[in-house]
Structures are given as C-alpha cells and as structure tokens.
Amino acid sequence: MSTATLTIDLDAIAANWRALDAANTGETAAVVKADGYGLGAARVARRLVREGVRSFFVAIAEEGAALRDVVGPEAAIHVFSGHMSGDADMIADCGLVPMINSVDQMIRHAEALPGRAFGIQLDSGMNRLGMEPAEWQAVREIALTQGLRLIMSHLACADEADHAMNAQQLRAFREMTEGLDIPRSLANTGGILMHPDYHFDLARPGIGLYGGAPFTDARPVVTLDLPVIQCRDLEAGETVGYGNDFVAARPTRIATVSAGYADGILRGMGPRTSLYAEETPCRIAGRISMDLIGVDITDLGHDPSSLRLLGPEQGIDVLADNASTISYEILTSLGGRYTRRLVGA
C-alpha cells in the first residue's frame, strides 16, 4: 500500500473537550470550522454531540448548512462570518445563527429574516471582525429587540497568558456589554486556560480540542504513518534529492517514503524534522518534494515498512516549530490522499 495513513483519534478530541469543559465555568462549545481543522467536521461534531456539546461554531454559512444534519435540530450553529449576501436561505432553512459583524450585516439580516436568531460580534481590539464601539452603540437598542442570542468578541493574544492585550480586550468587552442580559462569549482555548474572568457564559475552544498549544495537557489527536517505497545504500559523497541538499558524510542507508508537500507536509520543516521508527528518530535527508521524502535510516539497523511523522513522539506543535508556523496550519494542510483511520467513531 503506497498511501500514507492518517489516524484520527475521536476519543482524544472528546477527552480534550471534557478537560476544557471542566476548566470552564460556563457552557463549552466547539469550533469545527475548516472541516474540523482538517480532520472532518462531520465526524468530529458527531462525536462531540455524544459528549453533550450543544453549540458549534463555523466560519461560513455553507459549513453550517453541511453540519445541521450531523448535529441535529436542537444544536446551535454559529457562523463567524455573519450574514453575507446570498446567505438568507441557508440561514433560515438550516437554523443558523449568524454572528453579525457590521451595521450593513445587521440591516441585511433584519430585512431578509426579521425576528430570526442572530448574534453580534464586537471588536474589542483585534481589528479583524466585529462592530467597533460606535457602531454597536448605533444599533444596540434595535438589536436587543430583534432576536439577539449571543454577544461575542475574539482574543488576539490568548496563547500568551501574560500579554497585556488580554486584559485590555477584557476591559473593552465588559464596557461594551455591561448591563445587558444577553449571553456573552470571549474565551477561546487560551481564554479558558487563563482565568475565569474570561469565561463569561460560553467559551469556544478550537485548537485545544485537536491537541494543540496552548493546551499543553491535551491528548494527541493525530498520527501519520508514511509507507516506505524503496531503500538504497549510498557511498560517502553521494547526494539525495533536488538541489543535492543532502550529501552523505559516510556510507548511508536511505528510505524513500510516499508523501510530500502535496500531502501538506510543509517543505520548510525538512531540515529540522525526523521521522520515527517506533521510538528511533530518523532525520529527513534532502528536500521534501511533492510526493516523496528521503529519510536517513542508517542507524536504525533494518529497513522499516513505514515511518511515522506525527504521533506521541512528535506532535503538531513540534512540526509547526520546525516549519516556523503554527499547529493550525499543520492540521489544516493535511492532504486528501491519506487513508483516514478513525478511533472512537
């Protein structure tokens, strides 16, 4: 079999949600945007519904529409992008809750779907999505009479618990929502882990569910095993791969594995990354190419049938550091050619 195997541990996702829920003082939702961070929104959400999750967040209305049959008619599905032009039918038919980001979206929603549920997203300092204080003041009283279900904002620096921006955004969010009897949401994964002051009524963990920092106690969720296609011996001075980046300094045994950057294995991680044969690390030799990676197995002492890139020995945050990126990109880049194996489905 020449296809790499991506194992997705749904039990680990459920355990991570339970741990974050135990640390949270309000309701704990789940963010399943970008197809469940690349792991399959339907399978992730279905497993989390069994854990008692009743609120989900997606990026766009199309994601929410695809999720409705999975989570059932009672679960709340919130859409971060709000009510975009052309979304009215999906919002109405699938019972979505758009998180309104602007006065224009507020008008669009009120005209197309008067009285239908919506949320408000406020900009507390990130300057990405949401109404600024003046916009919010302009529509606040109208919004309170139109089916408003939730008010949220998003933390920019929650992965750094001591960053001054966190307290600044908390103050701004409180000022914009003070005195309102509407459920509020500010905390993402990092917000849950910082302090109960950030929890409010509903928290929205994302990356922590999938095993990523800043949730350092998270259970690993994915393993990735790459099949070995061929092994060969090199003499000292011979090279491997494009550009002759790897030059053998001694007699060397090279395994060529079936995967590459077309499968979301980022080229930039190559110089700092090993693959594992059980607990033995084997360094990548040369450049990661589209479909193939050379690996130095000289010290392994045998030819393996596969080598592991992701697993307990080396998680998504390690690969992210090796590629000078973040674990979100590692997960959402995982390609479509993998054979996906589920644990706890």
Side-chain angles (χ1 to χ4, degrees), residues 56-69 71-73 75-83 87-100 109 113 116-119 147 149:
F56 294 87
F57 285 81
V58 295
I60 57 177
E62 287 83 355
E63 291 181 332
L67 198 63
R68 175 51 73 196
D69 287 343
V71 301
I77 303 174
H78 304 82
V79 181
F80 285 130
S81 63
H83 189 144
D87 283 353
D89 287 345
M90 274 185 291
I91 291 170
D93 293 345
C94 300
L96 309 181
V97 182
M99 301 306 298
I100 302 298
H109 187 75
L113 300 171
R116 296 298 292 262
F118 67 96
R149 296 283 186 86

Side-chain angles (χ1 to χ4, degrees), residues 26 38 40 110 131 155 159 177 182-183 185 211 232 246-247 256-257 332 337:
M131 295 186 188
L155 295 166
D159 55 340
T177 59
I182 301 292
S185 177
R232 69 176 66 241
F246 178 88
V247 181
T256 300
V257 299
T332 58
R337 293 194 292 192

Side-chain angles (χ1 to χ4, degrees), residues 20 58 66 75 115 117 136 163 173 193 230 267 279-280 339-340:
L20 290 167
V58 295
W136 172 228
H163 199 293
F173 187 60
L193 299 173
Q230 183 179 11
R267 292 178 76 246
E279 296 180 355
T280 302
T339 297
R340 281 166 163 76

Side-chain angles (χ1 to χ4, degrees), residues 9-332:
D9 189 342
L10 299 176
D11 287 339
I13 293 176
N16 292 338
W17 181 86
R18 290 194 301 269
L20 290 167
D21 182 53
N24 182 29
T25 57
E27 180 186 353
T28 306
V31 179
V32 294
K33 63 181 181 177
D35 194 27
Y37 285 50
L39 302 183
R43 60 177 69 103
V44 170
R46 187 176 293 113
R47 182 67 178 84
L48 290 176
V49 166
R50 287 166 50 192
E51 295 300 316
V53 179
R54 292 297 176 263
S55 295
F56 294 87
F57 285 81
V58 295
I60 57 177
E62 287 83 355
E63 291 181 332
L67 198 63
R68 175 51 73 196
D69 287 343
V70 174
V71 301
E74 301 302 322
I77 303 174
H78 304 82
V79 181
F80 285 130
S81 63
H83 189 144
M84 298 291 289
S85 179
D87 283 353
D89 287 345
M90 274 185 291
I91 291 170
D93 293 345
C94 300
L96 309 181
V97 182
M99 301 306 298
I100 302 298
N101 291 294
S102 65
V103 174
D104 287 345
Q105 285 196 350
M106 183 75 224
I107 294 170
R108 179 181 298 125
H109 187 75
E111 290 180 347
L113 300 171
R116 296 298 292 262
F118 67 96
I120 291 286
Q121 186 162 188
L122 301 176
D123 176 26
S124 57
M126 191 176 187
N127 287 310
R128 192 174 66 170
L129 283 179
M131 295 186 188
E132 296 184 5
E135 291 180 287
W136 172 228
Q137 285 299 322
V139 301
R140 174 171 161 156
E141 296 308 314
I142 297 173
L144 293 174
T145 66
Q146 295 291 317
L148 178 58
R149 296 283 186 86
L150 180 70
I151 303 174
M152 67 161 282
S153 190
H154 193 63
L155 295 166
C157 302
D159 55 340
E160 301 176 55
D162 296 330
H163 199 293
M165 185 66 169
N166 295 319
Q168 177 181 322
Q169 288 191 262
L170 178 60
R171 286 193 300 271
F173 187 60
R174 281 177 167 162
E175 289 171 0
M176 286 189 283
T177 59
E178 188 175 5
L180 298 179
D181 188 23
I182 301 292
R184 293 179 290 177
S185 177
L186 181 62
N188 50 13
T189 297
I192 293 173
L193 299 173
M194 281 195 295
H195 192 275
D197 284 352
Y198 292 86
H199 294 175
F200 292 95
D201 301 287
L202 182 144
R204 319 175 308 271
I207 191 63
L209 301 178
Y210 307 99
F215 186 21
T216 55
D217 294 331
R219 279 176 49 176
V221 169
V222 292
T223 58
L224 180 57
D225 296 293
L226 312 181
V228 174
I229 299 176
Q230 183 179 11
C231 297
R232 69 176 66 241
D233 292 314
L234 274 63
E235 299 295 333
E238 288 193 278
T239 64
V240 175
Y242 290 117
N244 293 355
D245 277 11
F246 178 88
V247 181
R250 58 173 178 165
T252 300
R253 186 75 170 165
I254 295 292
T256 300
V257 299
S258 178
Y261 60 74
D263 304 290
I265 301 174
L266 307 180
R267 292 178 76 246
M269 72 176 63
R272 300 175 61 187
T273 299
S274 296
L275 278 68
Y276 282 78
E278 296 180 347
E279 296 180 355
T280 302
C282 303
R283 294 300 299 269
I284 289 178
R287 298 179 187 176
I288 294 170
S289 57
M290 184 179 291
D291 314 295
L292 302 168
I293 304 171
V295 183
D296 185 346
I297 60 168
T298 308
D299 296 328
L300 188 58
H302 69 276
D303 292 349
S305 60
S306 66
L307 291 165
R308 177 164 290 182
L309 179 64
L310 276 170
E313 311 85 0
Q314 178 172 257
I316 56 176
D317 290 304
V318 173
L319 287 191
D321 287 343
N322 290 354
S324 299
T325 185
I326 57 176
S327 55
Y328 302 73
E329 186 175 14
I330 299 298
L331 285 175
T332 58

